[in-house]
Amino acid sequence: MKSWKENIRRIDPYVPGEQPDLEDMIKLNTNENPYPPAPGIIKAMKEFDFDKLRLYPDPTASMLTDSLAKYYHVDKEQVFVGVGSDDVLAMAFLTFFNSKKPILFPDITYSFYEVWANLYKIPYERPQLDDNFKINKEDYYKKNGGVVIANPNAPTGIYENLEFIEEILLHNQNSVVIVDEAYIDFGGESAVRFVEKYENLLVVQTFSKSRSMAGMRIGFAIGHKDLIKALNDVKYSYNSYTMNQVSLCFGVPAIEDDIYFKETLKRIIDTRERTKVELKNLGFSFPDSMTNFIFATHPQIKAIDIFRALREKNIFVRHFNLSKIDNYLRISIGTDEEMDKFISALKEILC
Amino acid sequence: MKSWKENIRRIDPYVPGEQPDLEDMIKLNTNENPYPPAPGIIKAMKEFDFDKLRLYPDPTASMLTDSLAKYYHVDKEQVFVGVGSDDVLAMAFLTFFNSKKPILFPDITYSFYEVWANLYKIPYERPQLDDNFKINKEDYYKKNGGVVIANPNAPTGIYENLEFIEEILLHNQNSVVIVDEAYIDFGGESAVRFVEKYENLLVVQTFSKSRSMAGMRIGFAIGHKDLIKALNDVKYSYNSYTMNQVSLCFGVPAIEDDIYFKETLKRIIDTRERTKVELKNLGFSFPDSMTNFIFATHPQIKAIDIFRALREKNIFVRHFNLSKIDNYLRISIGTDEEMDKFISALKEILC
């Protein structure tokens, strides 16, 4: 091996869900929103001053942090934005997890947590979920260098209420606790209400799911201003301008159009509940989901076989080839029409 | 101090040039391009499918890497793109500089190199520029964990020819050599031609200066496919989707409109050469610049005083409060009209 190659950081990267681009496909594999983003974005683009592209964006992204602060009733000094919640979370790992003690997150959760811990050489432990895929909160009551909880958890879809989250906070006042709420808008209650009480709490959310903007890469964190200041110091030491002019311009109308936001959420939740009934009728079982996906298994037919059979019908769902969950499929909630086609396809596959 | 605060990564962040937004200001402080980006971008936006924003972007950014590969006559496996060249460079530091030996870069250069080395705890040494702000190439002939050379260098503006760069490559075949060419299009010759010959060479460029797109945050690296693969592995371990749908869509016409690109470059170069003459007539001296800025000092009046006086006239240039260069101003090249006003303002200040 060439000697310069010896100094390359070697990692097993996260593998994102495939992004096929086929006609007539039904894409239920990356938890994207089936509805377009807020119509105000089209108006914002029509008014966009293209000449502005030659100038660096506002490094503080204040248009967007102001809008988020207003919406979530916090100060703008309590809001941090990044290139998707992945960027926000990765920066939070780098900023806050510098202890020699391990950070804690469940063995089954968003698989990027382990990837970031490896990338930044952060020690970690992964307490096991119980047999029903539930988090044992007591597992997080020991000394640690930080705690990361996805609520609702992914890919299980299970939501824990705020008393559960507060128990974890009460037992962890000496380390930063990240609550990753990528899916919270689909029926859960946000821990943002605790950021005044627990100054070591960082709540992370994204525009990618509930706000139909996976393509724009906007995520954000809300927490005590000292946490946000520390995150910004690291951000300014990495890339002063992460949010481009268009992201700033499109992000604001997505926050401001709350009527459209709540309408599309309601449609997705209604479709999810209807899909749960259909899946149960077909013999599937799944943890009750409070997200825009259902994590389902079938007693007779292997998940991988269903996955492949669906694929042949141009229907894409997600299968994780990981122990404990390799007999499950993560099925994103699409439109009613897409879910009807999906259920029909399942009926054909199962009989 | 609260114990969770002990584990926060502490750094002195890079301080970006201010982004004032005043009417009638002349902004010559962040090396932005005075001309708008390629007109094809407006067309691309008009045809942009907003519904696509709900979908994740292509994680491989292939639209953009294909376009760059074609333009620079390399394979698409030799191209990496990121959120500005800052993102690309930061990821390259994290990916390639994992030796215990120090990396080397000049004491006066793009100040982010030191910030990234501190952020990632990479040991470094900063060989001194000579009294004329020139790099002594022999300083880079010793054992090291990597080499980073900005060519042209910033904020001096000095360009070294390709024989000079090749000498450094010849003496550094055991570590990754990054050549940061943020300003190369303003008259220099790119080291991209060496990427076949030296597989440890990574050439980094940006859309922010010559392509008038600081606001879109697009940077790229070209190198051997093994280097690019290693960068992508780290990128996929950090944030699978760094380039949003709009960046991908706007980036391509910026590359394809080569006539517009060369026209604006020529205008900036002509204005720069004219500005050099004017500055000399006013008594300024400066290293000969091959960039879109001039790094100038005046024998009688302190740089900081000129900086402040210009600011009062709503003219913004950059002053670095750093040893050796605190009596210099970095003046970006604006339009002819802007530079005329700038020169008139200098005349008033100097007399």
Side-chain angles (χ1 to χ4, degrees):
Chain A
M1 181 155 55
K2 299 275 172 53
S3 56
W4 59 267
K5 291 192 177 178
E6 288 161 20
N7 294 320
I8 290 180
R9 190 169 289 245
R10 311 236 162 246
I11 26 199
D12 290 323
Y14 174 80
V15 181
E18 52 193 337
Q19 291 290 355
D21 189 12
L22 306 172
E23 268 192 51
D24 297 325
M25 69 171 175
I26 295 180
K27 191 168 178 302
L28 308 174
N29 70 332
T30 52
N31 298 343
E32 290 150 332
N33 196 308
Y35 302 109
I41 293 169
I42 297 178
K43 186 165 168 280
M45 178 46 75
K46 282 192 180 140
E47 291 164 6
F48 188 79
D49 173 13
F50 279 85
D51 183 56
K52 216 167 60 172
L53 290 184
R54 69 180 187 81
L55 299 175
Y56 282 100
D58 167 19
T60 68
S62 63
M63 268 172 77
L64 200 49
T65 55
D66 286 359
S67 179
L68 286 163
K70 202 171 145 199
Y71 188 83
Y72 289 100
H73 306 293
V74 294
D75 293 335
K76 66 177 177 176
E77 290 76 22
Q78 292 181 271
V79 183
F80 175 85
V81 291
V83 182
S85 58
D86 288 341
D87 183 41
V88 174
L89 287 162
M91 240 173 256
F93 272 55
L94 183 61
T95 306
F96 300 120
F97 298 155
N98 295 286
S99 166
K100 289 202 172 84
K101 292 192 282 263
I103 64 168
L104 307 176
F105 49 83
D107 64 337
I108 297 169
T109 190
Y110 185 34
S111 48
F112 238 126
Y113 302 156
E114 189 174 16
V115 175
W116 289 319
N118 287 327
L119 178 66
Y120 295 130
K121 299 172 183 172
I122 300 164
Y124 60 95
E125 283 175 20
R126 304 185 309 155
Q128 291 188 16
L129 297 185
D130 73 14
D131 292 342
N132 299 313
F133 290 145
K134 302 267 284 179
I135 295 169
N136 290 311
K137 60 181 185 296
E138 294 77 11
D139 292 340
Y140 299 84
Y141 294 175
K142 59 180 173 180
K143 287 212 163 130
N144 61 63
V147 171
V148 190
I149 299 288
N151 192 41
N153 197 13
T156 64
I158 297 173
Y159 167 73
E160 297 292 351
N161 65 25
L162 287 185
E163 288 91 75
F164 180 100
I165 297 295
E166 188 161 23
E167 282 294 322
I168 290 178
L169 288 165
L170 279 169
H171 286 84
N172 285 285
Q173 305 205 28
N174 295 324
S175 52
V176 171
V177 176
I178 296 177
V179 180
D180 177 359
E181 297 187 336
Y183 300 99
I184 197 72
D185 294 324
F186 299 102
E189 206 177 346
S190 173
V192 164
R193 66 153 64 166
F194 291 141
V195 298
E196 293 303 325
K197 197 165 166 192
Y198 301 96
E199 60 178 43
N200 58 325
L201 165 64
L202 192 77
V203 177
V204 177
Q205 293 192 16
T206 176
F207 282 43
S208 298
K209 321 291 183 186
S210 56
R211 295 189 188 275
S212 304
M213 289 179 82
M216 277 315 287
R217 312 301 294 129
I218 306 176
F220 61 96
I222 295 178
H224 188 272
K225 68 179 173 44
D226 291 354
L227 284 181
I228 300 302
K229 164 79 166 62
L231 264 178
N232 269 317
D233 282 352
V234 166
K235 172 226 158 117
Y236 288 128
S237 306
Y238 174 76
N239 188 354
S240 312
Y241 314 93
T242 55
M243 307 304 289
N244 67 37
Q245 300 273 24
V246 180
S247 302
L248 296 176
C249 167
F250 285 12
V252 174
I255 291 294
E256 286 178 352
D257 193 343
D258 207 40
I259 292 168
Y260 180 82
F261 176 59
K262 291 200 167 130
E263 265 173 19
T264 52
L265 281 178
K266 186 177 179 309
R267 286 167 79 178
I268 293 165
I269 292 168
D270 289 349
T271 308
R272 176 187 72 205
E273 295 307 314
R274 199 170 67 73
T275 306
K276 285 180 187 172
V277 176
E278 299 269 22
L279 286 173
K280 247 178 214 149
N281 290 343
L282 291 174
F284 283 92
S285 64
F286 43 84
D288 192 33
S289 167
M290 286 280 261
T291 63
N292 68 336
F293 60 83
I294 296 170
F295 193 57
T297 187
H298 196 273
Q300 277 95 40
I301 312 201
K302 275 192 191 161
I304 186 70
D305 294 335
I306 303 174
F307 171 82
R308 286 184 185 136
L310 285 167
R311 231 185 121 110
E312 288 199 4
K313 294 172 185 285
N314 263 354
I315 299 175
F316 293 81
V317 298
R318 189 89 196 256
H319 176 256
F320 298 91
N321 195 14
L322 296 172
S323 86
K324 291 195 192 179
I325 59 169
D326 58 355
N327 203 25
Y328 281 76
L329 296 174
R330 193 193 67 186
I331 302 148
S332 307
I333 302 300
T335 61
D336 276 320
E337 194 193 346
E338 287 174 323
M339 299 320 280
D340 286 344
K341 286 185 185 160
F342 164 71
I343 294 291
S344 300
L346 279 183
K347 283 178 183 161
E348 287 171 32
I349 292 164
L350 294 174
C351 71
Chain B
M1 178 155 55
K2 299 277 172 50
S3 56
W4 59 267
K5 292 192 177 178
E6 288 162 20
N7 295 321
I8 289 181
R9 191 170 287 246
R10 313 235 162 246
I11 27 200
D12 290 324
Y14 174 81
V15 181
E18 53 194 335
Q19 292 291 355
D21 188 13
L22 307 171
E23 267 191 52
D24 296 325
M25 68 170 174
I26 296 180
K27 191 167 178 300
L28 307 175
N29 69 331
T30 53
N31 299 343
E32 290 150 332
N33 196 307
Y35 302 109
I41 293 170
I42 297 178
K43 187 167 167 279
M45 177 45 75
K46 282 192 181 139
E47 290 163 7
F48 188 77
D49 172 13
F50 279 85
D51 183 56
K52 214 167 61 171
L53 290 184
R54 68 179 189 81
L55 299 175
Y56 282 100
D58 167 19
T60 67
S62 63
M63 268 173 76
L64 200 48
T65 54
D66 286 359
S67 179
L68 286 162
K70 202 172 145 199
Y71 189 82
Y72 289 99
H73 306 292
V74 294
D75 292 337
K76 67 177 176 176
E77 290 75 23
Q78 292 182 272
V79 184
F80 176 84
V81 291
V83 181
S85 59
D86 288 342
D87 183 41
V88 174
L89 287 162
M91 241 174 255
F93 272 55
L94 183 62
T95 306
F96 301 119
F97 297 156
N98 294 286
S99 165
K100 289 204 171 86
K101 292 192 281 267
I103 63 168
L104 307 175
F105 49 83
D107 65 336
I108 298 168
T109 189
Y110 186 35
S111 47
F112 238 126
Y113 303 155
E114 189 174 16
V115 175
W116 290 317
N118 287 327
L119 178 66
Y120 295 131
K121 300 172 184 172
I122 300 164
Y124 60 95
E125 283 176 20
R126 304 186 308 154
Q128 291 188 18
L129 296 185
D130 73 14
D131 292 343
N132 299 314
F133 290 145
K134 302 268 282 179
I135 295 170
N136 292 309
K137 60 181 184 298
E138 294 77 14
D139 292 342
Y140 299 84
Y141 294 174
K142 59 181 172 179
K143 286 210 165 136
N144 61 64
V147 171
V148 190
I149 299 288
N151 191 40
N153 196 13
T156 64
I158 297 173
Y159 166 73
E160 297 292 352
N161 64 25
L162 287 185
E163 288 90 77
F164 180 100
I165 298 295
E166 189 161 22
E167 282 294 322
I168 289 179
L169 287 165
L170 279 169
H171 285 84
N172 285 284
Q173 305 205 27
N174 296 323
S175 51
V176 171
V177 176
I178 296 177
V179 180
D180 177 358
E181 296 187 337
Y183 300 99
I184 197 71
D185 294 324
F186 298 103
E189 205 178 346
S190 173
V192 164
R193 67 153 66 167
F194 291 141
V195 297
E196 293 302 326
K197 195 164 165 191
Y198 300 96
E199 59 177 42
N200 59 324
L201 165 64
L202 192 77
V203 177
V204 177
Q205 294 193 15
T206 176
F207 282 44
S208 298
K209 320 291 183 188
S210 56
R211 296 190 187 275
S212 305
M213 288 179 80
M216 276 317 286
R217 313 301 295 126
I218 306 176
F220 61 97
I222 295 178
H224 188 273
K225 68 179 173 43
D226 291 354
L227 284 180
I228 300 303
K229 164 79 167 60
L231 264 179
N232 269 317
D233 282 352
V234 166
K235 173 225 157 118
Y236 288 127
S237 306
Y238 174 76
N239 189 354
S240 313
Y241 314 93
T242 54
M243 306 305 289
N244 67 38
Q245 300 273 24
V246 181
S247 301
L248 296 177
C249 166
F250 285 14
V252 174
I255 292 293
E256 286 178 352
D257 194 343
D258 206 41
I259 292 168
Y260 180 83
F261 176 60
K262 292 202 168 125
E263 266 173 19
T264 52
L265 281 178
K266 184 176 180 310
R267 287 166 81 177
I268 293 165
I269 291 168
D270 288 349
T271 309
R272 176 187 72 203
E273 295 308 313
R274 199 170 67 75
T275 306
K276 286 180 186 172
V277 175
E278 300 268 22
L279 286 172
K280 247 178 213 148
N281 290 343
L282 291 173
F284 282 93
S285 62
F286 42 85
D288 192 32
S289 167
M290 285 278 264
T291 63
N292 69 337
F293 60 83
I294 296 170
F295 193 58
T297 187
H298 196 273
Q300 278 97 39
I301 311 198
K302 276 192 192 160
I304 185 71
D305 294 334
I306 302 173
F307 170 83
R308 286 184 185 135
L310 285 168
R311 229 186 122 110
E312 288 199 3
K313 294 172 185 288
N314 264 354
I315 298 175
F316 293 81
V317 297
R318 190 88 196 261
H319 175 257
F320 297 91
N321 196 13
L322 297 171
S323 85
K324 291 195 194 175
I325 59 170
D326 59 353
N327 203 25
Y328 281 77
L329 296 174
R330 193 194 66 187
I331 303 147
S332 308
I333 302 300
T335 61
D336 275 321
E337 194 193 346
E338 287 174 323
M339 299 321 280
D340 286 345
K341 286 185 186 159
F342 164 71
I343 294 290
S344 299
L346 279 184
K347 284 178 182 161
E348 286 172 30
I349 292 164
L350 294 174
C351 71

